[in-house]
């Protein structure tokens, strides 16, 4: 068995490795493999049978389950193509930190959503837009993802909504715990910055972008797309409701 793996490097193609006998892998799973003389963490984007002569074996699985669903892989492949960036750099910029050592964590893989009915995004510009969002998320029973422009705003919204945080303002173990708790439906509402754009909530969910006009939603570096554009594509793929909040929305 051969695994095609992408890494956080500016090369837009996957590298092929032999899967060691007895190691069960899936698409969307993070693994460690040798590249340019050292071990790197990458993501398996394809598994196939083929001629293994000349291929190096990958070293180990970083986690026991995939960190991304097929739908998440499709979204990051689209984002890389739209921004003329490498798939690996785009994909790995949107994942929670990898564990420092493999452990038998109580984690489960994200569900693969079926394509939902597309819904038109909603732009909220009134003075009560943030209060309306908080009321709606408290009232609705479905999963929700709130993307804030910076860590301070993410912290405020997490306190306001009693939500899990998925940004660099909390520890790496907390981010990992929030990611996999969201994938199991154990945390209904997740708040974060751009690094939370792929949070694996069971769809259809409510996706909300706070201060859509804020330049913090498109800083330098991967993924080289505005958070709004990624959420628009995500909502179109899984039929989620998208709310854009801003008093001064972009054109």
């Amino acid at each position: 068995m051969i695994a095609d793996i992408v890494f956080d490097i500016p090369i837009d193609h996957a590298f092929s490795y032999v899967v060691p006998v007895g190691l069960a892998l899936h698409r969307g799973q993070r693994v460690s493999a040798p590249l340019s003389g050292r071990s790197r963490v990458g993501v398996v984007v394809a598994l196939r049978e083929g001629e293994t002569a000349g291929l190096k074996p990958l070293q180990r699985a970083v986690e026991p389950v995939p960190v991304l669903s097929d739908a998440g892989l499709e979204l990051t492949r689209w984002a890389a193509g739209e921004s003329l960036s490498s798939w690996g750099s785009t994909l790995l910029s949107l994942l929670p930190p990898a564990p420092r050592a493999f452990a038998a964590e109580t984690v489960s893989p994200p569900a693969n959503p079926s394509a939902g009915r597309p819904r038109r995004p909603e732009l909220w510009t009134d003075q009560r837009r943030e209060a309306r969002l908080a009321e709606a998320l408290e009232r609705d029973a479905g999963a929700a993802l709130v993307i804030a422009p910076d860590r301070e705003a993410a912290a405020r919204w997490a306190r306001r909504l009693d939500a899990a945080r998925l940004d660099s303002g909390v520890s790496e173990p907390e981010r990992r715990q929030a990611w996999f708790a969201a994938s199991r439906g154990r945390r209904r509402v997740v708040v974060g910055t751009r690094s939370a754009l792929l949070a694996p909530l069971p769809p259809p969910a409510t996706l909300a972008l706070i201060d859509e006009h804020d330049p913090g939603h498109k800083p330098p570096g991967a993924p080289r797309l505005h958070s709004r554009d990624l959420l628009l594509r995500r909502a179109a793929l899984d039929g989620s409701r998208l709310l854009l909040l801003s008093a001064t929305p972009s054109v």
Side-chain angles (χ1 to χ4, degrees):
M1 184 67 71
I2 297 172
D4 294 331
I5 301 169
V6 295
F7 299 92
D8 185 8
I9 55 176
I11 297 176
D12 193 29
H13 68 75
F15 294 80
S16 299
Y17 294 86
V18 178
V19 178
V21 175
L23 179 60
L25 287 181
H26 305 274
R27 290 188 75 225
Q29 196 163 354
R30 283 191 287 202
V31 296
S32 177
L35 184 69
S36 300
R38 67 185 183 92
S39 296
R40 286 179 177 266
V41 172
V43 177
V44 177
V45 295
L47 289 164
R48 56 189 171 87
E49 294 183 352
E51 177 55 53
T52 61
L55 297 182
K56 296 179 180 179
L58 62 86
Q59 293 162 327
R60 63 182 179 89
V62 171
E63 288 139 332
V65 298
V67 71
L68 267 187
S69 66
D70 289 343
L73 290 174
E74 179 184 347
L75 181 59
T76 56
R77 174 74 275 188
W78 172 85
E82 287 291 301
S83 58
L84 301 179
S85 305
S86 85
W87 190 5
S89 295
T90 301
L91 194 163
L92 285 149
S93 71
L94 294 170
L95 295 181
R100 300 189 184 278
F102 184 89
E105 301 174 286
T106 54
V107 296
S108 59
N112 271 311
S114 57
R117 182 179 179 181
R119 304 175 62 174
R120 294 179 65 86
E122 303 171 39
L123 178 61
W124 291 7
T125 61
D126 59 290
Q127 290 184 338
R128 292 197 70 254
R129 61 190 177 277
E130 294 191 354
R132 287 173 58 203
L133 176 62
E135 292 165 3
L137 296 185
E138 182 177 352
R139 180 177 64 250
D140 297 343
L145 171 64
V146 177
I147 300 296
D150 53 56
R151 291 181 300 178
E152 290 73 20
R156 289 196 303 272
W157 275 97
R159 289 192 297 269
R160 185 173 188 174
L161 301 174
D162 189 25
R165 281 183 68 181
L166 257 177
D167 64 87
S168 58
V170 295
S171 68
E172 292 186 359
E174 285 181 89
R175 291 171 65 186
R176 286 180 49 75
Q177 184 179 25
W179 182 277
F180 286 107
S183 72
R184 299 195 303 274
R186 294 183 60 184
R187 293 307 299 260
R188 188 177 67 84
V189 181
V190 176
V191 174
T193 53
R194 283 167 64 79
S195 59
L197 285 166
L198 297 183
L201 296 169
T206 297
L207 312 175
L209 186 65
I210 306 298
D211 293 336
E212 177 270 345
H213 62 276
D214 196 298
H217 288 304
K218 191 185 177 184
R224 292 176 172 81
L225 285 181
H226 197 287
S227 296
R228 172 193 61 245
D229 298 322
L230 275 161
L231 289 177
L232 282 165
R233 180 67 175 178
R234 176 173 178 170
L237 288 173
D238 62 25
S240 290
R241 181 188 188 191
L242 176 57
L243 309 176
L244 306 173
L245 279 64
S246 176
T248 55
S250 62
V251 176

